[in-house]
Amino acid sequence: MDMEVRESFSLKKFNTFDIEVACKYFVECEREEELLEFVRSYELNPEEVLILGGGSNFLFTEDFDGVVFYPTMQGCEVVGEDGDDVYVRVGSGVVWDDFVAWAVEHGYGGVENLSLVPGHVGATPVQNIGAYGMEVGESIVSVEAVDIVKGEKVTIDAVTCRFSYRDSIFKHEWKNRFVVTYVTFRLSKRPVFRLHYGSVHDEVIRLGEISLKTIRQAITRIREAKLPDVKVLPNAGSFFKNPLVERAFADSLIEKYPSLPVYPVDEDHVKLAAGWLIEFAGWKGKVIGHAGVHEKQALVLVNTGGATGIEIAHLANEIKKSVFLQFGVWLEAEVNVI
Protein backbone atom coordinates (compact mmCIF):
# COMPACT_ATOMS: atom_id res chain seq x y z
CA MET A 1 0.00 0.00 0.00
CA ASP A 2 1.32 3.44 -0.93
CA MET A 3 1.29 6.12 1.72
CA GLU A 4 -2.07 7.85 2.03
CA VAL A 5 -2.69 11.43 3.18
CA ARG A 6 -6.32 12.24 4.00
CA GLU A 7 -7.85 15.57 5.00
CA SER A 8 -10.54 16.23 7.66
CA PHE A 9 -10.38 12.57 8.64
CA SER A 10 -12.57 10.95 11.32
CA LEU A 11 -10.64 9.31 14.18
CA LYS A 12 -13.67 7.47 15.60
CA LYS A 13 -12.32 4.07 14.50
CA PHE A 14 -8.82 4.98 15.64
CA ASN A 15 -9.50 5.53 19.35
CA THR A 16 -10.80 2.80 21.65
CA PHE A 17 -13.01 5.27 23.56
CA ASP A 18 -14.99 5.53 20.28
CA ILE A 19 -15.07 9.34 20.46
CA GLU A 20 -16.25 11.12 17.31
CA VAL A 21 -13.42 13.56 16.52
CA ALA A 22 -11.46 14.43 13.40
CA CYS A 23 -7.93 15.54 12.49
CA LYS A 24 -6.78 18.01 9.86
CA TYR A 25 -4.50 15.50 8.08
CA PHE A 26 -4.18 11.72 8.53
CA VAL A 27 -1.00 10.09 7.22
CA GLU A 28 -1.01 6.29 7.01
CA CYS A 29 2.39 4.83 6.13
CA GLU A 30 3.94 1.38 6.02
CA ARG A 31 7.31 2.20 4.41
CA GLU A 32 10.03 4.25 6.08
CA GLU A 33 11.20 5.73 2.76
CA GLU A 34 7.78 7.26 2.06
CA LEU A 35 7.52 8.56 5.60
CA LEU A 36 10.97 10.17 5.32
CA GLU A 37 10.03 11.75 2.00
CA PHE A 38 6.85 13.19 3.54
CA VAL A 39 8.49 14.71 6.64
CA ARG A 40 11.30 16.22 4.49
CA SER A 41 8.69 17.93 2.33
CA TYR A 42 7.07 19.84 5.20
CA GLU A 43 8.28 21.80 8.19
CA LEU A 44 6.57 19.95 11.00
CA ASN A 45 6.25 21.11 14.58
CA PRO A 46 5.82 18.30 17.16
CA GLU A 47 3.08 20.39 18.80
CA GLU A 48 1.04 20.01 15.62
CA VAL A 49 1.68 16.28 15.34
CA LEU A 50 0.13 13.21 16.94
CA ILE A 51 1.34 9.63 16.48
CA LEU A 52 -1.38 6.99 16.74
CA GLY A 53 -1.03 3.23 17.05
CA GLY A 54 -4.02 1.22 18.20
CA GLY A 55 -5.52 4.36 19.75
CA SER A 56 -5.87 2.56 23.09
CA ASN A 57 -4.11 5.24 25.08
CA PHE A 58 -5.85 8.43 23.99
CA LEU A 59 -8.85 10.41 25.12
CA PHE A 60 -9.84 13.07 22.58
CA THR A 61 -11.77 16.01 24.02
CA GLU A 62 -11.84 17.93 20.71
CA ASP A 63 -10.80 17.73 17.05
CA PHE A 64 -7.05 17.66 16.43
CA ASP A 65 -5.95 20.60 14.28
CA GLY A 66 -2.78 19.00 12.96
CA VAL A 67 -1.18 15.91 11.38
CA VAL A 68 -1.85 12.42 12.71
CA PHE A 69 0.71 9.80 11.72
CA TYR A 70 -0.51 6.20 11.67
CA PRO A 71 2.49 3.88 11.07
CA THR A 72 1.55 0.38 9.86
CA MET A 73 4.99 -1.27 9.46
CA GLN A 74 4.62 -5.05 9.68
CA GLY A 75 6.96 -7.99 10.22
CA CYS A 76 8.41 -9.99 13.06
CA GLU A 77 11.85 -11.51 12.48
CA VAL A 78 14.72 -12.93 14.50
CA VAL A 79 17.75 -10.75 13.73
CA GLY A 80 20.30 -12.32 16.09
CA GLU A 81 21.03 -14.76 18.89
CA ASP A 82 23.43 -14.56 21.81
CA GLY A 83 23.63 -17.52 24.20
CA ASP A 84 20.16 -17.87 25.71
CA ASP A 85 18.95 -14.58 24.22
CA VAL A 86 17.25 -13.98 20.92
CA TYR A 87 16.79 -10.58 19.24
CA VAL A 88 13.51 -9.92 17.43
CA ARG A 89 12.75 -6.90 15.21
CA VAL A 90 9.04 -6.08 15.03
CA GLY A 91 7.13 -3.55 12.91
CA SER A 92 5.41 -0.74 14.78
CA GLY A 93 2.04 -1.54 13.19
CA VAL A 94 1.96 -5.12 14.52
CA VAL A 95 -0.80 -5.64 17.10
CA TRP A 96 1.01 -6.00 20.44
CA ASP A 97 -0.87 -9.11 21.57
CA ASP A 98 -0.16 -10.82 18.23
CA PHE A 99 3.56 -10.34 18.93
CA VAL A 100 3.19 -11.74 22.48
CA ALA A 101 1.37 -14.78 21.03
CA TRP A 102 4.22 -15.24 18.48
CA ALA A 103 6.89 -15.03 21.22
CA VAL A 104 5.11 -17.55 23.46
CA GLU A 105 4.54 -19.91 20.52
CA HIS A 106 8.28 -19.85 19.78
CA GLY A 107 9.21 -20.40 23.43
CA TYR A 108 10.73 -16.93 23.90
CA GLY A 109 10.14 -15.28 27.30
CA GLY A 110 10.11 -11.66 28.36
CA VAL A 111 6.70 -10.35 27.26
CA GLU A 112 4.25 -13.09 28.31
CA ASN A 113 2.95 -11.16 31.34
CA LEU A 114 1.95 -8.37 28.94
CA SER A 115 -0.60 -10.61 27.20
CA LEU A 116 -3.77 -8.86 26.04
CA VAL A 117 -2.43 -5.33 26.63
CA PRO A 118 -4.16 -3.36 23.85
CA GLY A 119 -2.42 -1.32 21.16
CA HIS A 120 0.36 -1.66 18.60
CA VAL A 121 4.05 -2.47 19.05
CA GLY A 122 5.12 1.09 18.11
CA ALA A 123 3.34 2.58 21.14
CA THR A 124 4.92 0.22 23.68
CA PRO A 125 8.25 2.07 24.13
CA VAL A 126 6.46 5.42 24.35
CA GLN A 127 4.22 4.29 27.19
CA ASN A 128 6.62 1.66 28.61
CA ILE A 129 3.61 -0.60 29.02
CA GLY A 130 3.55 -2.83 32.07
CA ALA A 131 1.36 -5.45 33.71
CA TYR A 132 1.63 -8.20 36.30
CA GLY A 133 5.15 -7.35 37.42
CA MET A 134 6.69 -6.91 33.95
CA GLU A 135 7.53 -3.81 31.90
CA VAL A 136 8.27 -3.76 28.18
CA GLY A 137 11.31 -1.50 28.70
CA GLU A 138 13.14 -4.44 30.28
CA SER A 139 13.04 -6.31 26.95
CA ILE A 140 13.60 -3.45 24.50
CA VAL A 141 17.08 -3.19 22.97
CA SER A 142 16.49 -0.38 20.51
CA VAL A 143 13.81 1.70 18.81
CA GLU A 144 13.98 2.70 15.13
CA ALA A 145 12.14 5.89 14.28
CA VAL A 146 11.83 8.79 11.87
CA ASP A 147 12.69 12.19 13.36
CA ILE A 148 10.03 14.54 11.97
CA VAL A 149 12.06 17.67 12.86
CA LYS A 150 15.36 16.69 11.22
CA GLY A 151 13.81 14.46 8.56
CA GLU A 152 16.11 11.53 9.23
CA LYS A 153 15.99 7.94 10.39
CA VAL A 154 17.43 7.21 13.85
CA THR A 155 18.05 4.19 16.05
CA ILE A 156 17.66 4.90 19.77
CA ASP A 157 19.07 2.53 22.38
CA ALA A 158 17.11 1.50 25.47
CA VAL A 159 19.20 3.62 27.88
CA THR A 160 18.47 6.78 25.88
CA CYS A 161 14.73 5.96 26.01
CA ARG A 162 14.86 6.62 29.80
CA PHE A 163 12.26 4.01 30.69
CA SER A 164 10.58 4.33 34.07
CA TYR A 165 7.13 3.42 35.43
CA ARG A 166 4.71 3.95 32.49
CA ASP A 167 7.10 6.57 31.19
CA SER A 168 9.85 7.31 28.67
CA ILE A 169 11.65 10.23 27.01
CA PHE A 170 9.02 10.01 24.23
CA LYS A 171 6.43 11.44 26.65
CA HIS A 172 8.61 14.44 27.57
CA GLU A 173 11.38 16.17 25.54
CA TRP A 174 10.69 13.99 22.50
CA LYS A 175 6.91 14.04 22.65
CA ASN A 176 5.45 13.53 19.14
CA ARG A 177 8.85 14.12 17.56
CA PHE A 178 9.63 10.54 16.53
CA VAL A 179 7.43 8.19 14.52
CA VAL A 180 8.44 4.72 15.72
CA THR A 181 8.88 2.32 12.79
CA TYR A 182 10.47 -0.82 14.32
CA VAL A 183 11.32 -2.06 17.82
CA THR A 184 13.97 -4.68 18.58
CA PHE A 185 13.40 -6.88 21.65
CA ARG A 186 15.73 -9.16 23.58
CA LEU A 187 13.80 -12.30 24.56
CA SER A 188 15.02 -15.38 26.42
CA LYS A 189 15.07 -19.03 25.38
CA ARG A 190 15.36 -19.86 29.10
CA PRO A 191 12.85 -17.48 30.65
CA VAL A 192 12.53 -16.69 34.34
CA PHE A 193 8.82 -16.84 35.15
CA ARG A 194 7.17 -14.01 37.12
CA LEU A 195 4.15 -15.23 39.02
CA HIS A 196 4.23 -13.10 42.16
CA TYR A 197 1.78 -10.40 41.05
CA GLY A 198 -1.90 -10.60 42.00
CA SER A 199 -3.63 -13.91 41.37
CA VAL A 200 -1.31 -15.00 38.52
CA HIS A 201 0.38 -17.82 40.43
CA ASP A 202 -2.88 -19.44 41.57
CA GLU A 203 -4.42 -19.17 38.10
CA VAL A 204 -1.33 -20.74 36.46
CA ILE A 205 -1.32 -23.63 38.96
CA ARG A 206 -4.98 -24.28 38.13
CA LEU A 207 -4.01 -24.61 34.46
CA GLY A 208 -1.28 -27.18 35.17
CA GLU A 209 2.46 -27.04 34.58
CA ILE A 210 4.12 -23.60 34.76
CA SER A 211 5.11 -22.53 31.23
CA LEU A 212 4.98 -19.50 28.95
CA LYS A 213 1.72 -20.84 27.51
CA THR A 214 -0.01 -21.32 30.88
CA ILE A 215 1.16 -17.87 32.04
CA ARG A 216 -0.28 -16.31 28.88
CA GLN A 217 -3.52 -18.28 29.33
CA ALA A 218 -3.78 -17.27 32.99
CA ILE A 219 -3.20 -13.56 32.36
CA THR A 220 -5.60 -13.59 29.41
CA ARG A 221 -8.30 -15.14 31.64
CA ILE A 222 -7.68 -12.67 34.47
CA ARG A 223 -7.77 -9.68 32.13
CA GLU A 224 -10.88 -10.86 30.27
CA ALA A 225 -12.71 -11.40 33.57
CA LYS A 226 -11.89 -7.87 34.80
CA LEU A 227 -11.65 -5.71 31.70
CA PRO A 228 -14.46 -4.89 29.27
CA ASP A 229 -14.10 -5.60 25.55
CA VAL A 230 -13.58 -2.24 23.81
CA LYS A 231 -15.90 -3.34 20.98
CA VAL A 232 -18.74 -3.79 23.49
CA LEU A 233 -17.93 -1.05 26.01
CA PRO A 234 -15.42 1.50 24.63
CA ASN A 235 -12.53 2.20 27.03
CA ALA A 236 -8.76 2.71 27.14
CA GLY A 237 -7.83 0.06 29.70
CA SER A 238 -6.37 1.37 32.97
CA PHE A 239 -7.07 5.11 32.99
CA PHE A 240 -4.84 5.97 35.97
CA LYS A 241 -1.31 5.02 37.03
CA ASN A 242 -0.69 3.32 40.36
CA PRO A 243 0.63 6.28 42.42
CA LEU A 244 4.23 6.18 43.63
CA VAL A 245 4.51 7.35 47.26
CA GLU A 246 7.03 7.36 50.08
CA ARG A 247 6.98 4.22 52.19
CA ALA A 248 6.39 6.20 55.41
CA PHE A 249 3.29 7.83 53.90
CA ALA A 250 2.01 4.43 52.73
CA ASP A 251 2.52 3.03 56.24
CA SER A 252 0.38 5.82 57.69
CA LEU A 253 -2.37 5.01 55.17
CA ILE A 254 -2.21 1.28 55.97
CA GLU A 255 -2.78 2.08 59.64
CA LYS A 256 -6.07 3.66 58.60
CA TYR A 257 -6.88 1.27 55.75
CA PRO A 258 -5.32 -2.15 56.52
CA SER A 259 -6.57 -3.78 53.29
CA LEU A 260 -4.86 -1.22 51.00
CA PRO A 261 -2.58 -3.15 48.57
CA VAL A 262 0.97 -1.80 48.20
CA TYR A 263 3.73 -2.88 45.81
CA PRO A 264 7.39 -2.37 46.83
CA VAL A 265 9.50 -0.25 44.45
CA ASP A 266 12.70 0.48 46.40
CA GLU A 267 13.83 1.07 49.98
CA ASP A 268 11.93 4.35 50.31
CA HIS A 269 9.02 4.06 47.86
CA VAL A 270 6.00 1.89 47.13
CA LYS A 271 3.16 1.95 44.61
CA LEU A 272 -0.44 2.06 45.81
CA ALA A 273 -3.25 0.26 43.97
CA ALA A 274 -5.13 3.07 42.21
CA GLY A 275 -8.09 0.78 41.50
CA TRP A 276 -8.48 0.05 45.22
CA LEU A 277 -8.37 3.78 46.09
CA ILE A 278 -11.04 4.59 43.49
CA GLU A 279 -13.26 1.70 44.57
CA PHE A 280 -12.93 2.53 48.28
CA ALA A 281 -13.85 6.15 47.48
CA GLY A 282 -17.15 4.79 46.13
CA TRP A 283 -16.71 5.19 42.38
CA LYS A 284 -16.89 1.61 41.12
CA GLY A 285 -19.88 1.22 38.77
CA LYS A 286 -20.85 4.91 38.97
CA VAL A 287 -22.08 6.69 35.83
CA ILE A 288 -22.21 10.45 35.14
CA GLY A 289 -24.02 11.25 31.90
CA HIS A 290 -22.62 8.87 29.28
CA ALA A 291 -19.31 8.22 31.08
CA GLY A 292 -18.87 5.60 33.76
CA VAL A 293 -16.51 3.59 35.97
CA HIS A 294 -16.50 -0.10 35.06
CA GLU A 295 -18.44 -2.26 37.50
CA LYS A 296 -15.72 -4.95 37.71
CA GLN A 297 -12.55 -2.82 37.60
CA ALA A 298 -12.53 0.70 39.04
CA LEU A 299 -9.36 1.65 37.11
CA VAL A 300 -11.28 1.50 33.83
CA LEU A 301 -13.42 4.41 32.64
CA VAL A 302 -15.96 3.55 29.97
CA ASN A 303 -18.06 5.21 27.30
CA THR A 304 -21.54 3.85 28.08
CA GLY A 305 -22.78 5.12 24.70
CA GLY A 306 -22.38 8.44 22.92
CA ALA A 307 -20.06 10.03 25.49
CA THR A 308 -17.92 13.00 24.52
CA GLY A 309 -14.27 13.17 25.51
CA ILE A 310 -15.11 16.11 27.76
CA GLU A 311 -17.62 13.96 29.70
CA ILE A 312 -15.01 11.26 30.32
CA ALA A 313 -12.37 13.85 31.26
CA HIS A 314 -14.84 15.44 33.70
CA LEU A 315 -15.49 12.06 35.34
CA ALA A 316 -11.72 11.47 35.63
CA ASN A 317 -11.25 14.85 37.33
CA GLU A 318 -14.07 14.17 39.80
CA ILE A 319 -12.44 10.84 40.71
CA LYS A 320 -9.03 12.51 41.17
CA LYS A 321 -10.49 15.16 43.51
CA SER A 322 -12.42 12.56 45.50
CA VAL A 323 -9.39 10.28 45.99
CA PHE A 324 -7.22 13.24 46.97
CA LEU A 325 -9.70 14.46 49.57
CA GLN A 326 -10.01 11.00 51.11
CA PHE A 327 -6.42 9.71 50.95
CA GLY A 328 -4.20 12.73 50.19
CA VAL A 329 -3.05 10.96 47.01
CA TRP A 330 -3.20 12.69 43.61
CA LEU A 331 -3.86 10.22 40.76
CA GLU A 332 -2.13 10.70 37.42
CA ALA A 333 -3.76 9.68 34.16
CA GLU A 334 -2.05 6.89 32.23
CA VAL A 335 -4.16 7.82 29.20
CA ASN A 336 -3.09 10.83 27.09
CA VAL A 337 -5.82 13.46 27.14
CA ILE A 338 -5.83 15.48 23.90
Side-chain angles (χ1 to χ4, degrees):
M1 183 200 79
D2 290 331
M3 188 173 80
E4 286 192 56
V5 181
R6 298 171 224 178
E7 285 187 58
S8 301
F9 186 75
S10 170
L11 297 173
K12 193 174 195 295
K13 290 182 180 173
F14 293 85
N15 73 94
T16 59
F17 264 123
D18 199 38
I19 304 292
E20 182 57 271
V21 287
C23 62
K24 196 171 185 179
Y25 299 105
F26 185 83
V27 180
E28 186 170 348
C29 46
E30 69 172 352
R31 292 177 55 226
E32 283 175 322
E33 298 76 21
E34 290 174 334
L35 179 57
L36 275 166
E37 195 179 316
F38 180 89
V39 300
R40 285 169 181 165
S41 304
Y42 300 90
E43 277 191 32
L44 294 168
N45 179 341
E47 288 179 13
E48 297 166 351
V49 165
L50 197 61
I51 298 144
L52 267 187
S56 60
N57 202 43
F58 287 93
L59 172 63
F60 289 94
T61 58
E62 59 185 11
D63 289 344
F64 184 70
D65 188 28
V67 181
V68 168
F69 285 103
Y70 183 65
T72 58
M73 289 74 185
Q74 296 299 306
C76 182
E77 60 170 332
V78 175
V79 291
E81 294 191 39
D82 176 12
D84 291 331
D85 293 332
V86 61
Y87 298 86
V88 186
R89 182 175 182 256
V90 189
S92 65
V94 172
V95 172
W96 170 256
D97 194 55
D98 290 350
F99 167 55
V100 177
W102 178 93
V104 168
E105 196 60 42
H106 284 76
Y108 302 146
V111 291
E112 61 281 356
N113 287 35
L114 304 175
S115 291
L116 224 61
V117 171
H120 292 180
V121 165
T124 62
V126 179
Q127 185 66 7
N128 188 21
I129 61 167
Y132 300 101
M134 187 176 277
E135 288 187 344
V136 76
E138 301 169 78
S139 299
I140 290 175
V141 176
S142 62
V143 175
E144 294 169 56
V146 168
D147 182 338
I148 64 159
V149 174
K150 293 185 176 177
E152 59 189 35
K153 186 184 165 182
V154 295
T155 300
I156 303 157
D157 63 48
V159 173
T160 307
C161 292
R162 286 212 321 253
F163 294 125
S164 61
Y165 175 60
R166 302 293 184 277
D167 208 8
S168 73
I169 194 168
F170 302 109
K171 293 180 88 171
H172 301 283
E173 300 98 298
W174 290 354
K175 189 172 184 178
N176 293 321
R177 176 172 170 174
F178 294 93
V179 180
V180 174
T181 53
Y182 292 90
V183 183
T184 298
F185 298 88
R186 181 195 291 110
L187 303 177
S188 176
K189 290 181 271 186
R190 296 181 65 183
V192 176
F193 302 132
R194 297 191 195 177
L195 307 173
H196 61 281
Y197 203 99
S199 55
V200 175
H201 179 269
D202 294 346
E203 189 65 40
V204 170
I205 297 303
R206 269 198 288 275
L207 289 164
E209 191 185 342
I210 297 172
S211 68
L212 292 175
K213 286 186 179 177
T214 53
I215 292 170
R216 174 165 165 75
Q217 279 179 314
I219 285 169
T220 299
R221 282 188 186 186
I222 293 165
R223 289 184 73 95
E224 284 178 340
K226 286 199 304 185
L227 302 173
D229 182 343
V230 295
K231 295 182 186 78
V232 179
L233 203 54
N235 69 88
S238 298
F239 196 92
F240 298 103
K241 298 178 187 180
N242 285 332
L244 184 70
V245 300
E246 291 188 356
R247 196 177 280 270
F249 176 72
D251 289 343
S252 70
L253 278 180
I254 290 166
E255 276 183 35
K256 247 178 144 177
Y257 310 100
S259 59
L260 169 63
V262 298
Y263 310 111
V265 173
D266 57 36
E267 229 174 89
D268 302 316
H269 298 89
V270 299
K271 279 188 296 193
L272 306 178
W276 187 96
L277 298 172
I278 296 163
E279 184 175 342
F280 199 92
W283 284 97
K284 195 175 184 181
K286 271 200 176 177
V287 176
I288 298 179
H290 300 98
V293 180
H294 188 49
E295 58 190 14
K296 290 184 181 173
Q297 171 52 275
L299 260 186
V300 178
L301 305 190
V302 296
N303 176 354
T304 62
T308 63
I310 288 170
E311 278 184 286
I312 294 166
H314 171 70
L315 173 62
N317 283 333
E318 290 302 308
I319 290 168
K320 283 161 78 168
K321 283 191 288 189
S322 169
V323 167
F324 182 75
L325 288 171
Q326 178 146 7
F327 301 104
V329 175
W330 188 250
L331 295 178
E332 267 187 72
E334 190 172 320
V335 171
N336 295 302
V337 180
I338 306 296

